[in-house]
């Protein structure tokens, strides 16, 4: 049998490659930080990690992880409800709830699991899930696992959301679900308007704060802080794998009965291992740091403003963004790839995205800013963009 299947896979892989869609991985031989050493020998400036606060290589978090390795061992070897919970996991759940101003939290191995396991235990055939068209793959998969009726509205389009809510009045319960920050444009979900519509049409709200938690809002509490709606959404999901240290781990935080039901019925929680003690302890440490100071948020926001302002002045076409994601629009797939390759020669590591990751004729380079960047790094990146922009006739 495998001969036939092997043949089939080889052809499919070849098709992917010929379509120019083959995903190659760059190998890093240093910690994840502003300057990384790649396996081809160069040291490059990193503008494509989700390391928004520069915590991926933070000494205090490394120390906290080591301390737990020494005191609590390597792994849990168990799911939570059998033999997989330490005080560290419970403390971390409390810290997450305090951070977001919610009632309770449940941890998962990743936010992909949190989103995969949130809908099916809560909603059924009579109910409605109303989902933004640009929501993350894990939300789409989670919705597929649930029997609720599905509605989709155009990205952040409040007229469309209202139309869908009107149709969904026939359902028993309604849940609006949105990413906080949309990862390709860097735009934020208009949470104030979403909550107003939810209240008008008797719906609940879930927001995925993966790209916004730690980043957006004056103190980094995410889009609920930015729009001054803390405590007004029923469900928040998020990751420890981006701004919050970048290791691994996801969570759902929100109303206590919702979290209570997830602990009973959410399959990725019930049938999958707990996060290791080292990750839990580093997570606790990280939230303690967040409570003490906003220096990292302040620096990230300064860096983002600096970069976007300069890039606009120089004449680049930048998507409006309220996050640490800056989409430099090029509109042409090949140009986006050539541009990224030229930038790499200048020591700047960024990724060019094109269809089907972004809509046709919306090719771009996505720059991700970080508190790990110093002004020199930003200037080097801006200068490289300018040089390549002129060379490739993007700038006049
Ligand atoms: C990254 C991301 C996830 C997945 O998070 P992991 O913890 O890496 O599984 C889910 N939702 C959104 C919006 C994301 O950006």
């Amino acid at each position: 049998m495998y001969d036939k299947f092997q043949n089939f896979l080889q052809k499919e892989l070849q098709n992917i490659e010929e379509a120019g869609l083959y995903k190659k991985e760059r190998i890093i031989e240093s910690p994840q930080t502003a300057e990384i050493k790649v396996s081809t020998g160069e040291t490059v400036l990193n503008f494509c990690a989700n390391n928004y606060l520069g915590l991926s290589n933070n000494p205090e978090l490394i120390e906290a992880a080591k301390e737990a390795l020494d005191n609590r061992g390597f792994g849990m070897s168990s799911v939570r409800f059998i033999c997989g919970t330490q005080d560290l996991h419970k403390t971390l759940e409390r810290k997450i709830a305090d951070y977001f101003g919610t009632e309770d939290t449940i941890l998962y191995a990743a936010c992909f699991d949190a989103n995969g396991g949130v809908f099916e235990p809560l909603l059924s055939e009579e109910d409605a899930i109303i989902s933004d068209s640009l929501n993350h793959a894990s939300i789409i998969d989670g919705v597929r696992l649930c029997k609720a009726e599905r509605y989709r509205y155009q990205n952040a389009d409040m007229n469309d959301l209202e139309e869908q809510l009107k149709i969904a009045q026939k359902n028993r319960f309604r849940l609006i679900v949105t990413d906080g920050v949309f990862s390709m444009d860097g735009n934020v979900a208009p949470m104030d308007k979403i909550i107003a519509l939810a209240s008008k049409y008797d719906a609940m709200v879930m927001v995925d704060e993966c790209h916004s938690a730690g980043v957006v809002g004056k103190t980094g509490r995410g889009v609920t802080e930015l729009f001054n709606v803390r405590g007004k959404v029923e469900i928040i999901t998020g990751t420890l794998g981006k701004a919050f240290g970048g290791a691994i781990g996801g969570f759902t935080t929100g109303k206590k009965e919702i979290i209570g039901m997830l602990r009973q019925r959410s399959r990725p929680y019930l049938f999958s291992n707990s996060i290791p003690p080292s990750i839990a302890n580093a997570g606790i440490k990280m939230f303690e740091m967040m409570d003490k100071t906003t220096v990292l948020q302040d620096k990230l926001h300064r860096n983002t403003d600096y970069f976007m302002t300069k890039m606009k002045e120089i004449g680049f076409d930048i998507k409006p963004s309220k996050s640490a994601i800056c989409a430099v629009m090029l509109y042409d797939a090949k140009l986006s790839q050539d541009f990224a390759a030229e930038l790499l020669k200048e020591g700047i590591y960024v990724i060019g995205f094109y269809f089907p990751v972004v809509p046709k004729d919306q090719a771009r380079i996505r720059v991700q800013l970080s508190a790990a960047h110093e002004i020199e790094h930003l200037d080097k990146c801006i200068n490289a963009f300018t040089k390549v922009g002129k060379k490739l006739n993007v700038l006049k």
Side-chain angles (χ1 to χ4, degrees):
M1 180 80 228
Y2 189 64
D3 289 351
K4 274 186 263 169
F5 191 55
Q6 184 180 38
N7 198 277
F8 166 79
L9 289 182
Q10 284 170 343
K11 283 207 185 101
E12 283 292 297
L13 285 166
Q14 201 181 334
N15 290 343
I16 295 172
E17 200 149 9
E18 278 163 11
L21 299 175
Y22 198 87
K23 295 177 190 67
K24 295 198 187 74
E25 296 173 6
R26 199 170 301 279
I27 316 265
I28 305 176
E29 293 179 342
S30 66
Q32 184 74 283
T33 178
E35 274 191 36
I36 50 172
K37 186 169 173 284
V38 291
S39 60
T40 42
E42 301 99 352
T43 297
V44 295
L45 287 180
N46 186 359
F47 283 91
C48 55
N50 302 316
N51 185 20
Y52 295 120
L53 297 177
L55 292 175
S56 306
N57 192 31
N58 178 276
E60 283 183 72
L61 299 191
I62 294 169
E63 202 43 54
K66 281 183 182 165
E67 181 195 302
L69 272 171
D70 289 341
N71 299 327
R72 300 302 179 82
F74 182 63
M76 292 308 296
S77 307
S78 180
V79 298
R80 287 284 290 271
F81 82 98
I82 299 177
C83 194
T85 306
Q86 290 176 338
D87 53 343
L88 297 178
H89 297 82
K90 299 305 290 179
T91 305
L92 177 57
E93 288 179 339
R94 189 68 254 151
K95 294 264 179 211
I96 293 172
D98 292 345
Y99 185 84
F100 288 99
T102 49
E103 293 174 1
D104 197 5
T105 306
I106 175 174
L107 289 173
Y108 290 85
C111 189
F112 209 104
D113 289 330
N115 286 335
V118 69
F119 302 103
E120 185 264 341
L122 299 175
L123 301 170
S124 62
E125 288 93 337
E126 306 136 276
D127 306 320
I129 299 171
I130 306 149
S131 179
D132 188 289
S133 63
L134 291 190
N135 278 343
H136 190 263
S138 54
I139 293 178
I140 296 169
D141 284 9
V143 171
R144 280 188 188 138
L145 294 171
C146 172
K147 294 201 174 70
E149 209 169 324
R150 299 166 203 171
Y151 299 82
R152 207 171 90 124
Y153 64 98
Q154 287 308 308
N155 177 231
D157 181 335
M158 293 298 101
N159 293 327
D160 197 10
L161 173 57
E162 182 157 17
E163 287 313 306
Q164 304 305 317
L165 280 164
K166 282 180 188 163
I167 306 169
Q169 290 306 299
K170 65 179 181 357
N171 296 92
R172 180 183 58 170
F173 302 126
R174 285 160 290 284
L175 176 66
I176 302 168
V177 53
T178 181
D179 282 10
V181 164
F182 296 93
S183 64
M184 284 300 143
D185 287 9
N187 60 318
V188 292
M191 293 309 297
D192 50 345
K193 299 198 178 77
I194 290 175
I195 283 169
L197 283 173
S199 148
K200 182 169 172 194
Y201 291 97
D202 198 24
M204 300 177 284
V205 177
M206 165 176 155
V207 57
D208 175 340
E209 295 264 30
C210 277
H211 279 285
S212 38
V215 173
V216 170
K218 194 163 171 17
T219 73
R221 262 64 178 174
V223 287
T224 65
E225 179 184 7
L226 185 67
F227 288 99
N228 205 12
V229 292
R230 258 169 85 78
K232 295 204 178 139
V233 305
E234 282 75 15
I235 303 172
I236 294 173
T237 59
T239 182
L240 301 175
K242 291 187 171 115
F244 290 153
I248 195 81
F251 56 84
T252 302
T253 188
K255 299 291 182 200
K256 64 177 190 288
E257 298 79 7
I258 291 177
I259 304 305
M261 183 56 80
L262 295 177
R263 282 194 209 283
Q264 299 306 311
R265 301 256 172 90
S266 180
R267 294 164 69 85
Y269 181 80
L270 291 173
F271 301 109
S272 186
N273 198 6
S274 304
I275 58 169
S278 52
I279 300 293
N281 204 42
I284 293 167
K285 184 78 193 176
M286 190 275 307
F287 283 108
E288 284 169 2
M289 285 164 61
M290 296 291 109
D291 278 342
K292 264 191 236 137
T293 164
T294 60
V295 282
L296 294 176
Q297 280 79 21
D298 297 344
K299 187 172 175 196
L300 174 62
H301 295 157
R302 270 200 313 276
N303 282 351
T304 308
D305 287 345
Y306 181 85
F307 184 82
M308 296 208 194
T309 306
K310 289 258 158 142
M311 289 288 281
K312 272 185 233 160
E313 277 169 17
I314 290 161
F316 281 105
D317 183 357
I318 305 289
K319 281 251 181 196
S321 167
K322 283 202 175 107
S323 65
I325 292 168
C326 175
V328 183
M329 299 306 293
L330 297 170
Y331 302 102
D332 180 85
K334 180 161 187 314
L335 178 61
S336 72
Q337 299 310 293
D338 293 346
F339 208 112
E342 289 289 331
L343 283 171
L344 193 63
K345 286 188 205 156
E346 301 294 323
I348 304 296
Y349 185 23
V350 288
I351 303 287
F353 291 98
Y354 56 100
F355 185 78
V357 180
V358 295
K360 272 221 163 73
D361 305 319
Q362 290 281 307
R364 69 199 60 189
I365 286 180
R366 180 176 75 172
V367 179
Q368 290 177 284
L369 285 310
S370 167
H373 294 135
E374 303 301 335
I375 292 292
E376 307 88 86
H377 298 143
L378 302 178
D379 283 338
K380 193 172 169 204
C381 182
I382 294 161
N383 291 340
F385 260 97
T386 308
K387 183 173 166 189
V388 175
K390 283 180 182 152
K391 181 170 172 187
L392 298 181
N393 288 318
V394 174
L395 293 176
K396 299 293 164 288

